[in-house]
Amino acid sequence: MAEIHSPTPLYHRIYAVMRERIIKGYYPSDVAVPSEAELSESFSVSRITIRKAMEMLTAEGLVTRTRGRGTFVNDRTKENKLNRAVVSNINGLFSYLNAVGQSTRLKVISLDLGEAPPRICAQMGVSPTTPLVRAVRVRFLDKRPYSLSIAYLLPEIGQTLKRQDLATTNMIDLVQEAGATVEQVEQTLTATLADDYAAKHLEIPVGAPLMLVNRLFFNADLKPFYVAEIFYCADRYEYRVSLKREDGKDFSLGN
């Protein structure tokens, strides 16, 4: 982890990144998080720094540390009752993706087949051991990284992808060319912080603010077949929605 001039202590920046990972379901509750040694190597910091960060997470009740077993994320299965889907038209999303594709260029980081993170498997409704195709790309706008996109696809769709096509074509066009019908998309936007992987590819410091857009695509049978996680630099991304009141659909707030 490259050191930068910041008034925030290094251990606190590690804590902030680990906290975001835990809240976003990066680590399953039934599997130990990486050890201090592994995290130390991943973030390129000392084990003392990692230990201080983990102590903060423990004090906050996010993890439990047990001698001889390791550190485990505490169960966070209760969902906020205010988290609910807003139904809109899918054509607007496709138009937006097309506009982004025309104004940016792509760099393919990787294309492989393997196990996906538990949070992705849960979204897709597949076993944690199910192999998924993963495609990682960085979009550039004005010669600077604009977004980091990590796509997970079922093999019957993903194995048709080719690196040369990923470098020039929007993923939504590629999956439809592969025979998939996009019937429904669920989109979630959350604020997050850059971990070491995102920081490297977006050329920003670890702990820098990001906007995470998660899109879950359903086929004609309303079965998930594709998940996209897109990390946008917070200072370069704006998401705008225009809402209109439908004629004759006045409402009042209940007590």
Side-chain angles (χ1 to χ4, degrees):
M1 177 177 179
E3 182 58 65
I4 61 172
H5 296 291
S6 171
T8 306
L10 185 56
Y11 70 86
H12 196 282
R13 281 182 270 153
I14 300 295
Y15 150 79
V17 171
M18 291 295 293
R19 187 180 189 279
E20 285 297 310
R21 288 182 174 182
I22 291 169
I23 291 175
K24 299 300 186 300
Y26 192 94
Y27 301 114
S29 60
D30 58 345
V31 178
V33 304
S35 66
E36 288 184 0
E38 292 170 325
L39 291 173
S40 174
E41 181 179 357
S42 173
F43 285 104
S44 298
V45 298
S46 69
R47 292 184 63 172
I48 294 176
T49 299
I50 296 296
R51 188 170 300 123
K52 287 183 177 179
M54 298 306 293
E55 288 172 354
M56 293 179 67
L57 294 171
T58 302
E60 195 173 344
L62 293 175
V63 300
T64 298
R65 311 184 77 187
T66 305
R67 186 181 299 276
R69 294 187 65 238
T71 301
F72 290 81
V73 173
N74 292 330
D75 188 15
R76 296 176 55 85
T77 55
K78 287 188 177 180
E79 297 291 339
N80 189 321
K81 66 179 181 180
L82 296 181
N83 289 346
R84 57 190 181 90
V86 177
V87 178
S88 186
N89 195 301
I90 199 172
N91 294 330
L93 173 62
F94 285 7
S95 296
Y96 165 76
L97 296 177
N98 183 59
V100 170
Q102 292 179 359
S103 58
T104 59
R105 69 176 183 87
L106 287 163
K107 176 183 177 182
V108 180
I109 304 300
S110 63
L111 176 63
D112 51 41
L113 177 68
E115 292 186 7
R119 68 183 185 282
I120 298 297
C121 293
Q123 278 192 282
M124 299 277 280
V126 298
S127 164
T129 59
T130 301
L132 297 175
V133 172
R134 186 184 75 153
V136 181
R137 301 185 295 178
V138 175
R139 281 193 180 275
F140 288 81
L141 178 64
D142 298 329
K143 299 182 179 180
R144 290 172 52 203
Y146 173 68
S147 67
L148 170 66
S149 173
I150 306 176
Y152 299 90
L153 304 102
L154 294 179
E156 54 264 34
I157 298 297
Q159 287 184 338
T160 66
L161 301 177
K162 297 180 174 58
R163 286 185 69 103
Q164 59 266 32
D165 294 330
L166 287 171
T168 59
T169 309
N170 287 338
M171 183 66 78
I172 193 63
D173 293 327
L174 293 175
V175 298
Q176 291 182 111
E177 290 173 4
T181 298
V182 181
E183 184 67 25
Q184 180 176 313
V185 182
E186 292 182 358
Q187 178 170 274
T188 305
L189 286 79
T190 53
T192 188
L193 302 174
D195 61 11
D196 49 332
Y197 187 80
K200 172 185 175 181
H201 291 296
L202 291 173
E203 300 175 14
I204 56 177
V206 169
L210 297 174
M211 178 65 74
L212 169 59
V213 178
N214 179 288
R215 295 190 183 110
L216 178 61
F217 294 79
F218 296 80
N219 62 19
D221 297 323
L222 294 182
K223 301 293 185 182
F225 71 93
Y226 162 34
V227 173
E229 289 190 326
I230 309 102
F231 298 86
Y232 293 94
C233 298
D235 61 340
R236 308 191 72 201
Y237 178 78
E238 179 181 75
Y239 185 81
R240 185 177 299 178
V241 178
S242 178
L243 303 174
K244 293 181 61 178
R245 182 180 62 83
E246 190 176 350
D247 290 341
K249 296 293 184 179
D250 292 337
F251 68 93
S252 60
L253 296 176
N255 294 327

